Amino acid sequence: MVTIHYFYDPMCGWCYGATPLIESVVSSDKFKVVFHPGGMLPAKTIEPAFRQHILDSDQRISKLTGVQFGQHYLERVTGNEELVLDSYLPIRAVLVGEALGLNPFTMLKAIQKAHYMDGKTVNKLTTLEEIAVQLGLDQKLWQEKMQTGQTLEIDAIDDSHRLMARLGVQGYPTLFLEDKGQLKRLPHTEYYGQAEQWHDFLDSLI
């Protein structure tokens, strides 16, 4: 089994756009995916000017990758109510889910859908708990681990940043293939919206 390292952030629109490509890797029995969380936004209130930047980026992402952004999400970004985006709490949810036996991608994908399609506030514990329960995790155990794991995401993000500095990674998403102790960057951006070609490329790596 070949290891692929995935540098991601739950609040990164391009990571959402890359979801079909990542799903192809995760669903293959030929690859093991190691997830490295980024910590792009620590509970930040988004100002109007940056909201427009997000919308402009989302249009480019949708055009290039084919992913859709839901109406509830768009209404939330364009609305007048406070918009807080936070990478840290969703990353903790991914890590806690993994500790409870859930594939990291399953939780990440559910959080991305809740945010980018349903417009839900994934910076809140109650929203993440709802997602966790829907994915079949034990509610009480989930609550306990989320409350006691407050440094979990910080440690994981620090580890990611050290590895990113060593590899020269400057953004998300970034993918590396591990081969005989060496890490080779994968050109995933060349395959946005081209699932079949991406699958063929992955097969060529084996």
Side-chain angles (χ1 to χ4, degrees), residues 24-179:
S24 182
V25 180
V26 171
S27 63
S28 172
D29 58 5
K30 301 174 183 177
F31 298 101
K32 172 188 175 183
V33 182
V34 180
F35 289 76
H36 302 282
M40 191 172 69
L41 291 172
K44 179 180 180 180
T45 299
I46 307 303
E47 301 300 329
F50 195 67
R51 291 190 191 210
Q52 187 57 52
H53 169 76
I54 290 173
L55 292 170
D56 292 343
S57 294
D58 290 346
Q59 287 185 350
R60 292 196 298 273
I61 292 167
S62 183
K63 184 177 180 179
L64 189 60
T65 69
V67 301
Q68 299 300 309
F69 293 85
Q71 187 60 33
H72 292 299
Y73 163 79
L74 295 173
E75 289 173 357
R76 186 164 173 246
V77 177
T78 57
N80 295 321
E81 294 186 7
E82 183 184 42
L83 176 64
V84 177
L85 299 183
D86 177 26
S87 302
Y88 281 64
L89 200 59
I91 287 172
R92 189 192 308 174
V94 172
L95 294 169
V96 167
E98 184 176 17
L100 294 176
L102 193 67
N103 187 298
F105 181 70
T106 301
M107 177 61 76
L108 175 60
K109 185 180 177 182
I111 291 172
Q112 289 173 324
K113 178 184 180 298
H115 175 61
Y116 290 108
M117 287 299 297
D118 303 332
K120 293 185 177 180
T121 52
V122 295
N123 60 305
K124 294 183 178 180
L125 283 169
T126 51
T127 304
L128 295 170
E129 181 180 317
E130 178 185 333
I131 294 171
V133 172
Q134 288 176 349
L135 292 175
L137 297 179
D138 180 85
Q139 187 173 19
K140 288 187 178 180
L141 192 56
W142 168 267
Q143 291 173 345
E144 177 186 332
K145 289 193 173 293
M146 284 295 287
Q147 292 290 349
T148 59
Q150 293 180 359
T151 63
L152 196 62
E153 72 271 23
I154 295 174
D155 292 341
I157 289 167
D158 286 347
D159 287 344
S160 289
H161 286 178
R162 282 191 287 270
L163 186 55
M164 288 172 67
R166 182 163 68 85
L167 296 173
V169 176
Q170 297 181 332
Y172 317 101
T174 300
L175 294 161
F176 278 88
L177 173 76
E178 184 176 336
D179 181 26

